Amino acid sequence: MNIGPYSWQEYLVMVKAFHGYTAPGVLVGGYMVAAAQQRLPEGVLYDAVCETRSCLPDAIQLLTPCSVGNNWLRVFHFGRYALSLYDKYCGEGWRVYVDPEKLSDWPEIKTWFLKLKPKKEQDTPRLMQEIEAAGDSICSLQPIRMQPQFLMRRSKGEIGICPQCREAYPIADGLLCRACQGETPYAQVPGEIGPTQIDAPLLTRTPVEKAVGRTALHDMTKIIPGVSKGPALLHGQEITVGDLCRLHQMGRYHIFVADNQPDPEEWTHEDAAALAFAQALAGPGVCFNGPPREGKINLRAERDGLLLVNRERLTRFNLVEGVMCAGRQGFRIVREGQIIAGTRAVPLYLPTAALQQALTVLKAGPVYEVRSLRRARVGILVTGTEIVRGLVQDKFAPIIQAKVEYLGSRVLGVIIVPDEREAIRQAVADLLDKGIDLLVTTAGLSVDPDDVTRQGLIDAGAEDLLYGAPILPGAMTLLASIGAVQVIGVPACALYYKNTSFDLLLPRLLTGLTITRQDLAAMGHGALCQECPTCTFPKCNFGC
């Protein structure tokens, strides 16, 4: 069976020459490429996507104009044996994948593809025969349309010289090339920053007696255990005779003075570094007070709101040798003026290359933001036939109302309905007519047959439902939307527990954040309430 314009034998020779040996994956990939090509309109210019790094990219590069080098082939590490060819202008094309359900007639292919036996126990000659005979019959095809960003032409943009390694690189990558930012695969390369290269510049130690009349090079801290901690002398302050006794009491017999500072092109003082970090770390709703003290500068909330932290960016920043930033946990309510983070350079002088490396991390955006909570118009829907019949008194609405009003929102209406789908649907419609933009439903979310709140919400037009969250208490929480109206379903556990998933999710909703399944999954780490006899939430680890 031919593979495109080539016979089986011709393709074997091509694969061995390009790939190094006749890998089964490249052979199967040949049939996959040919199957996609056959379904593209004649003469169309196309790009390629490959969903595995193993073998399949070589089949694409052998049989199409698409390669990694010309950027017409994108390789994603999805681990799926699949490829797509698509019109590079409109994005329409075909996806081809090896379909496990079609392998039963080809036992050796199935054994190889699903790794049912070690490689040395597989029958390679038989495997080759089955691949040639099967062709693309083991594959399935799907019509696809690419997302718009995959149709854009890519350009390196402006080229500059990396100030650290002095090699050319795309300026869009940051202040340093990606290798000098720490992405290099090499253990050591001259010119790149390694973990042991943050050394101090040569500074002259001056006896304090000879420092009189000269200027301090940095803040000098005085600590009285259990009483106070603060700078006794400030950076730039002139040393006087009266300071000598105080310095001796602090255990300072030699100090650094500003007479002989290191080359500013190569070294950055801790105060200048801290100020640069603060400017880059602070996003909307965050400010900082200057100048730095003791080499450190604090970031503060500029307004009341929810603290948002880009944890991945913070981690990357702290991986740079010689810098640090420590802050509060994200998704907590903060008040104007509260300290939310502190940053500094660890050494007195930081290599300028390390400064640029840290700032490059922050070029993508700030780490901290305080987002204001909107004043939501809330509708509360209480479900429970037992309440409607007067068998029990509703306690849910007062709990929800108190929590939303505490965060500055107001309740436009409360409706209590029985556990009936139509009643729930109609109540939702009535609350929407009042102009609410946040609907809070209570109870009716468990596995009991009488609990039909979810079904009633769907009847009312709820979409994008997320049911269930890794939060205790509150595992049966529901999130959805009805048009522009946010919906949160609060399980019955909120009648007993003081704090539940509702307390963790409500502030996020009030900031307008879109909560995804990925967000909920990440909350599982730290979302177990300890049920302390005296609750101190939010000054505890619930939701952190």
Side-chain angles (χ1 to χ4, degrees), residues 428 432 439 457 460-463 480-487:
V428 171
L432 293 176
L439 172 65
L457 288 172
E463 298 177 324
S481 61
I482 302 176
V485 177
Q486 298 169 310
V487 179

Side-chain angles (χ1 to χ4, degrees), residues 355-408:
L355 173 75
Q356 292 172 334
Q357 185 178 2
L359 292 178
T360 293
V361 172
L362 302 176
K363 187 177 181 182
V367 168
Y368 297 100
E369 176 186 353
V370 175
R371 190 171 296 188
S372 298
L373 277 62
R374 80 176 194 278
R375 298 184 181 277
R377 304 182 302 275
V378 182
I380 302 175
L381 174 58
V382 180
T383 62
T385 303
E386 68 280 11
I387 301 173
V388 174
R389 292 179 177 176
L391 301 178
V392 297
Q393 182 182 0
D394 171 53
K395 298 290 182 68
F396 236 134
I399 292 173
I400 300 300
Q401 183 164 351
K403 290 180 185 252
V404 299
E405 290 180 348
Y406 176 76
L407 294 180

Side-chain angles (χ1 to χ4, degrees), residues 136-190:
D136 62 12
S137 68
I138 60 173
C139 301
S140 289
L141 290 94
Q142 300 168 321
I144 51 105
R145 178 186 289 272
M146 300 300 293
Q147 297 183 42
Q149 64 266 31
F150 292 99
L151 306 182
M152 299 170 58
R153 297 299 94 196
R154 299 172 296 283
S155 171
K156 289 182 180 179
E158 188 179 353
I159 301 297
I161 304 299
C162 174
Q164 178 61 27
C165 65
R166 309 304 301 169
E167 294 187 37
Y169 78 108
I171 287 179
D173 287 349
L175 300 176
L176 300 172
C177 72
R178 298 177 73 90
C180 289
Q181 290 178 44
E183 297 183 27
T184 177
Y186 309 114
Q188 185 175 2
V189 174

Side-chain angles (χ1 to χ4, degrees), residues 3-84:
I3 298 177
Y6 305 104
S7 69
W8 172 256
Q9 290 301 326
E10 288 173 332
Y11 187 61
L12 288 178
V13 173
M14 292 170 60
V15 170
K16 185 173 183 180
F18 187 79
H19 190 76
Y21 69 102
T22 51
V26 186
L27 301 179
V28 172
Y31 289 113
M32 297 170 67
V33 171
Q37 287 174 321
Q38 290 171 7
R39 285 160 177 79
L40 292 175
E42 186 175 351
V44 70
L45 295 176
Y46 57 85
D47 283 351
V49 162
C50 186
E51 300 180 27
T52 177
R53 297 174 183 171
S54 300
C55 293
L56 195 52
D58 282 359
I60 297 172
Q61 295 181 107
L62 272 171
L63 297 172
T64 77
C66 306
S67 72
V68 173
N70 65 18
N71 287 322
W72 296 355
L73 166 62
R74 286 185 173 94
V75 180
F76 295 95
H77 188 39
F78 296 158
R80 302 191 297 191
Y81 217 74
L83 62 85
S84 297

Side-chain angles (χ1 to χ4, degrees), residues 327-333 471-473 498-500 503-504 525-544:
R328 293 187 59 178
Q329 294 146 332
F331 299 113
R332 288 299 203 215
I333 298 293
I471 304 171
L472 290 173
K498 182 178 180 181
N499 295 291
T500 68
D503 300 271
L504 302 183
H525 181 71
L528 174 66
C529 177
Q530 298 296 301
E531 303 177 33
C532 304
T534 301
C535 178
T536 60
F537 180 83
K539 296 180 180 179
C540 70
N541 61 8
F542 180 49
C544 297

Side-chain angles (χ1 to χ4, degrees), residues 119-432:
K119 188 174 181 179
K120 62 182 179 180
E121 296 180 15
Q122 295 174 16
D123 187 340
T124 301
R126 184 180 176 188
L127 173 61
M128 295 297 183
Q129 292 171 3
E130 287 192 5
I131 292 174
E132 181 183 8
D136 62 12
S137 68
I138 60 173
C139 301
S140 289
L141 290 94
Q142 300 168 321
I144 51 105
R145 178 186 289 272
M146 300 300 293
Q147 297 183 42
Q149 64 266 31
F150 292 99
L151 306 182
M152 299 170 58
R153 297 299 94 196
R154 299 172 296 283
S155 171
K156 289 182 180 179
E158 188 179 353
I159 301 297
I161 304 299
C162 174
Q164 178 61 27
C165 65
R166 309 304 301 169
E167 294 187 37
Y169 78 108
I171 287 179
D173 287 349
L175 300 176
L176 300 172
C177 72
R178 298 177 73 90
C180 289
Q181 290 178 44
E183 297 183 27
T184 177
Y186 309 114
Q188 185 175 2
V189 174
E192 292 180 5
I193 298 177
T196 61
Q197 290 180 252
I198 304 296
D199 299 320
L202 293 176
L203 299 174
T204 303
R205 297 168 66 247
T206 302
V208 293
E209 292 80 5
K210 295 183 179 181
V212 175
R214 300 162 82 176
T215 302
L217 190 54
H218 60 92
D219 291 358
M220 284 172 263
T221 303
K222 180 177 182 180
I223 300 175
I224 302 177
V227 178
S228 65
K229 173 186 177 295
L233 283 88
L234 301 177
H235 175 213
Q237 180 177 335
E238 182 178 325
I239 308 298
T240 66
V241 173
D243 295 321
L244 298 184
C245 181
R246 184 163 37 149
L247 287 169
H248 286 160
Q249 290 174 340
M250 292 164 54
R252 305 291 181 97
Y253 297 95
H254 296 82
I255 62 173
F256 293 129
V257 294
D259 295 9
N260 51 357
Q261 299 185 44
D263 184 352
E265 294 293 323
E266 297 184 6
W267 301 93
T268 303
H269 189 274
E270 62 176 358
D271 288 351
L275 186 59
F277 295 155
Q279 291 170 337
L281 288 162
V286 179
C287 61
F288 52 89
N289 298 329
R293 283 290 171 254
E294 301 170 271
K296 184 188 74 171
I297 192 165
N298 289 328
L299 278 65
R300 297 179 180 271
E302 199 170 36
R303 57 194 177 205
D304 294 350
L306 187 68
L307 176 62
L308 306 181
V309 182
N310 189 311
R311 295 180 62 178
E312 185 273 336
R313 196 171 295 151
L314 177 61
T315 299
R316 288 188 60 205
F317 177 82
N318 281 325
L319 282 172
V320 178
E321 189 79 9
V323 312
M324 64 77 62
C325 176
R328 293 187 59 178
Q329 294 146 332
F331 299 113
R332 288 299 203 215
I333 298 293
V334 294
R335 300 300 178 189
E336 181 182 351
Q338 282 187 329
I339 295 175
I340 60 174
T343 184
R344 66 169 301 151
V346 176
L348 176 57
Y349 278 93
L350 184 70
T352 300
L355 173 75
Q356 292 172 334
Q357 185 178 2
L359 292 178
T360 293
V361 172
L362 302 176
K363 187 177 181 182
V367 168
Y368 297 100
E369 176 186 353
V370 175
R371 190 171 296 188
S372 298
L373 277 62
R374 80 176 194 278
R375 298 184 181 277
R377 304 182 302 275
V378 182
I380 302 175
L381 174 58
V382 180
T383 62
T385 303
E386 68 280 11
I387 301 173
V388 174
R389 292 179 177 176
L391 301 178
V392 297
Q393 182 182 0
D394 171 53
K395 298 290 182 68
F396 236 134
I399 292 173
I400 300 300
Q401 183 164 351
K403 290 180 185 252
V404 299
E405 290 180 348
Y406 176 76
L407 294 180
S409 296
R410 59 194 178 99
V411 176
L412 298 188
V414 178
I415 298 180
I416 302 174
V417 296
D419 293 305
E420 298 172 3
R421 290 179 64 164
E422 177 55 28
I424 293 170
R425 185 203 64 77
Q426 184 58 54
V428 171
D430 293 343
L431 288 170
L432 293 176

